[in-house]
Amino acid sequence: MPNKSRKLFSPQMILFELRNVTGNPYVHVFGIGMPILMSFVIIRAIAAEITDQAILIQVSTSIFLGIGSLMPMAVILMGYASTRAQEMEKGIPERMELFGISSNITLCNRAAAEIIFMIAAFLIYFIYGYLVLTLEAPVISGILIYILCILVLSIILFCLAHSIASLLKRFGPVYLVTMMLYFGFMVFSGMMGMSYEDMPVGMQAVAKLLPTTYINRDFYSIWIGESYRYASMIQSYLFWAAIAGILLLVSRKKKPGLTVTAAPLQKYRK
């Protein structure tokens, strides 16, 4: 069937890609299990030191929302990039092209599958949070803005992961780069023991460029409906969206293909 007659999205393709996502044990361990474990351990440790229940609920909610941003970084940035790199090493994209499944169709259906998985993961995360932990109830605008921020972050990370894997093409380098980005985001966002206020000026300048910094540091105010200035947060999203978009355009121009050389035909030219 020609590519132009195929729809960009199809239930069969989305289901196929969703099976690939759920079949990766990494995303279950680091994308769901690790955030749940980290939030539980950190909040329990803080609960032993804070006696004021109101302050404890505020701190717990802030930590819970911040750690939630780790899920798209683990599932999409590292999980999808690693899977994509392994597929490129095995030549799977070229084989799919031979069967009439273009890279555009694959990209769109994989993005849909990743978003569906992220929705399920966050449902599990929030069910755990409100059953096990004591968290502040959000206002409607707070939870809608949180969903929007995580969704946009997930799309940016998907484009970034796809670009890195398409450019490097090998599992080892891709895993190294995405791992460095993953822990870099954690360190500069204040999730590794050093808060934004305790960072040197240089680290703070880098932290301001990361969307996860604002989710980890400021989102409690949005969650409970307090007024908040979104300018710096929006700028950080635009900054990373521009990087991901440029890398995606570059990677799309470097499509793998079959090259036929004329050298073997020289001996027949007589």
Side-chain angles (χ1 to χ4, degrees), residues 42-181:
I42 294 173
I43 291 174
R44 287 298 181 185
I46 292 176
E49 301 178 1
I50 299 178
T51 56
D52 191 314
Q53 187 66 16
I55 296 177
L56 177 61
I57 293 175
Q58 177 181 345
V59 173
S60 300
T61 305
S62 181
I63 292 172
F64 181 80
L65 295 175
I67 291 178
S69 64
L70 292 178
M71 299 175 73
M73 288 197 292
V75 173
I76 298 177
L77 178 60
M78 295 187 65
Y80 171 67
S82 300
T83 302
R84 169 74 176 171
Q86 289 176 325
E87 290 180 351
M88 297 198 72
E89 284 186 331
K90 298 175 181 177
I92 294 177
E94 293 89 339
R95 298 177 191 176
M96 296 185 73
E97 290 273 1
L98 292 175
F99 283 97
I101 303 175
S102 69
S103 57
N104 291 333
I105 294 175
T106 303
L107 185 64
C108 291
N109 285 278
R110 283 183 174 174
E114 294 284 349
I115 295 301
I116 292 172
F117 184 85
M118 286 303 308
I119 292 173
F122 269 97
L123 284 176
I124 295 172
Y125 185 64
F126 274 90
I127 290 173
Y128 141 77
Y130 279 94
L131 289 179
V132 178
L133 306 174
T134 304
L135 303 175
E136 189 80 49
V139 297
I140 295 177
S141 61
I143 194 167
L144 290 178
I145 295 173
Y146 186 80
I147 292 172
L148 177 63
C149 289
I150 293 295
L151 178 61
V152 175
L153 178 63
S154 299
I155 295 172
I156 292 173
L157 292 176
F158 178 82
C159 295
L160 195 62
H162 186 87
S163 303
I164 292 172
S166 298
L167 290 171
L168 299 180
K169 295 183 175 64
R170 293 171 55 198
F171 173 79
V174 169
Y175 187 76
L176 175 62
V177 171
T178 54
M179 179 70 77
M180 291 175 63
L181 286 173

